């Protein structure tokens, strides 16, 4: 097989019917362009929605839940210890919500190579005082630096500087829903009543918007020190430890291990957001299904074009075989034609797809619920481009293989006699 000669013949056949070749190449180009642009856009939207949960949620949360003791005093008695005892109206144990030896737990977690970082948190139930009214709310006491490093805290602070929370004593960043109800401005001082009935003044240094209205209507943030003083607790008082992992898929397994090791309650992100995980998988599946369908449709178009080309080139095929070309040579010629269309159309399609994605990426997208997003999200993952190019080559190869197989079996005597 003379590859150089076969390549020259393939090029001659391509140029002989250049309009058909152009139509086939445009079909591949359009399919790849739309595949890259559509999949990049849909993947970007998926990443945006995933980020609303993943960026603001710990992979593992360690906490202490108030619950009834599983072992009642009667179970320890000599007389009834081996019986099935039914105890009604069991009350929770009289325990504090704080995690004991929280500093030691965090030090151990930071030494775990599977952990990206650890952020302590204090959850406090409060009332925001507005004149004679009390608005129910929650204050999260956070380590500002760690909260920003692990959960992009500053991206959701829409007014003020998030560092003021750490640098200004007795300060608070209010959720936008709370601030609108209280009609406060930056620099104002508000009154907060704790669950113990103590009233504390706090200076407003910023406004926070998560994009989830139910959260923004009650949620606010203070530093760890401010929250501990608010509750009248010591500097060791911590109610939650948030853990971020290198591999989020390990969260369910490690949550169980940490719960047993540190004797605390633990919940992983998959368990806490099971419905969200399912929705994210389905959206990704739909995105790839639509994109691959575009490529398959383009493959059928190329198949039809090559079928017609072979039918019109019966004379040329007969002459080739009559002059000594084998069926494999004819097969290679038309496969080379199809592959050329696939590679050229695919490469041009990737370039155009990148251009369309870049244009979409510049379109303004402003919404009050997502202050950190200014343009439509696009995912430029190289995997999308690699899949597009691979499918264009494979699809066009198959589209050329079956017609070329038919052409390789043609008897030149029958064709010449028919003419």
């Amino acid at each position: 097989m003379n590859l150089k000669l076969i390549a020259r013949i393939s090029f001659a056949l391509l140029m002989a019917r250049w309009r058909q070749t152009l139509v086939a190449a445009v079909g591949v180009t359009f399919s790849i362009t739309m595949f890259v642009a559509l999949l990049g856009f849909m993947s970007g939207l998926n990443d945006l929605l995933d980020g609303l949960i993943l960026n603001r949620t710990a992979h593992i949360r360690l906490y202490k839940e108030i619950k009834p003791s599983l072992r009642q005093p009667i179970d320890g008695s000599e007389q009834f210890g081996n019986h099935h005892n039914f105890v009604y109206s069991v009350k929770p144990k009289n325990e504090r919500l704080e995690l004991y030896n929280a500093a030691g737990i965090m030090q151990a977690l930071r030494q775990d190579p599977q952990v990206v970082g650890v952020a302590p948190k204090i959850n406090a139930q409060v009332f925001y005082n507005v004149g004679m009214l009390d608005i129910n709310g929650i204050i999260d006491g956070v380590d500002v630096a760690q909260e920003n490093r692990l959960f992009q805290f500053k991206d959701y602070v829409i007014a003020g500087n998030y560092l003021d929370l750490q640098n200004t004593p007795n300060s608070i960043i209010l959720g936008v829903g709370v601030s609108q109800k209280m009609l406060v401005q930056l620099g104002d001082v508000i009154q907060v009543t704790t669950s113990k009935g103590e009233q504390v003044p706090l200076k407003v240094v910023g406004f926070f918007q998560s994009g989830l209205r139910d959260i923004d209507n009650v949620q606010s943030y203070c530093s760890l020190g401010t929250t501990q003083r608010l509750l009248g607790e010591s500097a060791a008082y911590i109610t939650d430890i948030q853990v971020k992992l290198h591999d989020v898929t390990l969260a369910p397994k490690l949550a169980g291990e940490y719960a047993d090791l540190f004797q605390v309650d633990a919940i992983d992100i998959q368990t806490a957001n099971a419905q969200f995980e399912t929705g994210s998988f389905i959206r990704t599946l739909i995105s790839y299904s639509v994109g691959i369908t575009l490529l398959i449709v383009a493959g059928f178009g190329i198949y039809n074009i090559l079928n017609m080309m072979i039918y019109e080139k019966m004379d040329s095929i007969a002459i080739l075989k009559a002059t000594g070309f084998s069926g494999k040579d004819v097969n290679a010629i038309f496969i080379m034609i199809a592959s050329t269309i696939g590679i050229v159309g695919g490469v041009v399609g990737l370039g155009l797809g990148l251009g369309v994605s870049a244009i979409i990426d510049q379109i303004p997208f402003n919404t009050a619920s997502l202050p950190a997003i200014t343009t439509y999200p696009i995912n430029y993952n190289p995997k999308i481009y690699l899949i597009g190019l691979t499918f264009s080559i494979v699809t066009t190869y198959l589209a050329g293989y079956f017609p070329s197989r038919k052409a390789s079996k043609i008897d030149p005597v029958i064709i010449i006699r028919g003419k």
Side-chain angles (χ1 to χ4, degrees):
M1 181 184 293
N2 190 331
L3 292 178
K4 185 176 180 180
L5 179 58
I6 287 176
R8 290 176 59 187
I9 295 173
S10 300
F11 180 77
L13 291 175
L14 277 171
M15 293 296 101
R17 291 286 181 175
W18 65 269
R19 288 187 177 87
Q20 290 181 337
T21 302
L22 181 62
V23 169
V26 167
V28 176
T29 300
F30 178 78
S31 298
I32 298 300
T33 300
M34 296 308 299
F35 173 81
V36 169
L38 180 64
L39 203 58
F41 179 55
M42 296 182 73
S43 297
L45 288 177
N46 286 344
D47 293 342
L48 170 63
L49 296 174
D50 290 348
L52 292 177
I53 299 296
L54 297 177
N55 290 344
R56 299 297 305 152
T57 306
H59 294 166
I60 299 175
R61 173 180 166 240
L62 304 182
Y63 63 104
K64 189 173 184 180
E65 186 174 358
I66 299 300
K67 52 190 175 183
S69 176
L70 297 178
R71 183 174 176 83
Q72 298 298 315
I74 193 173
D75 296 325
S77 70
E78 295 181 0
Q79 183 177 0
F80 302 103
N82 296 324
H83 291 68
H84 291 286
N85 302 306
F86 298 92
V87 182
Y88 296 95
S89 301
V90 178
K91 300 298 187 291
K93 294 183 290 185
N94 186 19
E95 288 185 314
R96 289 156 55 90
L97 286 172
E98 98 176 91
L99 292 173
Y100 297 112
N101 192 27
I105 294 175
M106 289 189 290
Q107 183 179 359
L109 289 171
R110 290 189 179 106
Q111 294 174 353
D112 190 338
Q114 301 173 100
V115 174
V116 175
V118 178
K121 187 170 76 170
I122 302 172
N123 188 273
Q125 301 288 332
V126 299
F127 292 101
Y128 306 109
N129 306 133
V130 187
M132 299 298 294
L133 298 177
D134 291 330
I135 301 175
N136 186 42
I138 299 173
I139 290 180
D140 278 351
V142 297
D143 182 326
V144 178
Q146 291 299 321
E147 192 74 13
N148 182 63
R149 183 175 77 88
L150 299 178
F151 306 112
Q152 291 80 49
F153 180 61
K154 69 177 181 181
D155 291 344
Y156 298 89
V157 177
I158 60 173
N161 189 337
Y162 78 101
L163 290 175
D164 290 340
L165 195 65
Q166 177 178 312
N167 300 329
T168 305
N170 294 336
S171 58
I172 186 171
I173 292 180
L174 288 174
V176 290
V178 179
S179 66
Q180 291 169 359
K181 291 179 181 179
M182 300 178 70
L183 298 176
V184 297
Q185 303 294 327
L186 290 178
D188 289 352
V189 176
I190 64 170
Q191 297 291 329
V192 172
T193 302
T194 69
S195 58
K196 297 179 180 179
E198 297 182 4
Q199 204 170 58
V200 181
L202 296 172
K203 182 179 180 180
V204 179
V205 295
F207 298 128
F208 170 89
Q209 186 170 16
S210 67
L212 303 175
R213 189 171 183 82
D214 290 341
I215 293 178
D216 294 334
N217 283 338
V218 296
Q219 184 79 60
S220 294
Y221 289 88
C222 290
S223 66
L224 284 175
T226 298
T227 310
Q228 287 161 348
R229 290 191 295 271
L230 186 71
L231 298 175
E233 300 290 350
S234 68
Y237 184 81
I238 299 293
T239 61
D240 295 80
I241 295 177
Q242 305 171 99
V243 183
K244 206 78 177 281
L245 303 174
H246 289 286
D247 186 359
V248 69
T249 60
L250 296 177
K253 172 178 173 288
L254 292 178
E257 293 180 3
Y258 292 156
D260 294 336
L261 178 62
F262 302 121
Q263 293 300 300
V264 295
D265 295 297
I267 186 169
D268 61 272
I269 189 171
Q270 283 90 339
T271 302
N273 302 280
Q275 293 180 337
F276 177 82
E277 290 286 329
T278 302
S280 179
F281 171 76
I282 292 175
R283 289 194 305 271
T284 302
L285 182 63
I286 291 173
S287 301
Y288 278 95
S289 298
V290 171
I292 291 172
T293 300
L294 285 172
L295 299 180
I296 293 175
V297 170
F300 278 110
I302 297 170
Y303 173 81
N304 290 330
I305 290 173
L306 290 176
N307 240 348
M308 291 299 298
M309 182 182 293
I310 290 171
Y311 179 78
E312 294 174 355
K313 292 294 180 183
M314 287 294 187
D315 291 350
S316 301
I317 294 170
I319 294 172
L320 288 173
K321 298 195 74 173
T323 54
F325 283 83
S326 66
K328 289 183 178 180
D329 294 333
V330 174
N331 198 6
I333 289 170
F334 286 96
I335 286 178
M336 188 171 291
I337 291 173
S339 299
T340 302
I341 293 173
I343 293 173
V344 174
V347 171
V348 175
L350 292 181
L352 292 177
L354 179 61
V356 173
S357 297
I359 292 173
I360 296 174
D361 200 10
Q362 299 302 315
I363 299 176
F365 177 64
N366 299 313
T367 173
S369 60
L370 297 171
I373 306 300
T374 57
T375 60
Y376 281 100
I378 293 292
N379 187 347
Y380 293 99
N381 192 332
K383 181 175 69 174
I384 296 174
Y385 296 83
L386 181 61
I387 291 174
L389 182 60
T390 301
F391 261 82
S392 69
I393 295 174
V394 171
T395 305
T396 50
Y397 174 84
L398 294 177
Y401 172 76
F402 293 107
S404 65
R405 187 181 174 190
K406 174 183 175 182
S408 66
K409 296 179 180 179
I410 292 175
D411 187 347
V413 176
I414 297 175
I415 296 174
I416 295 172
R417 184 183 296 167
K419 292 294 182 180

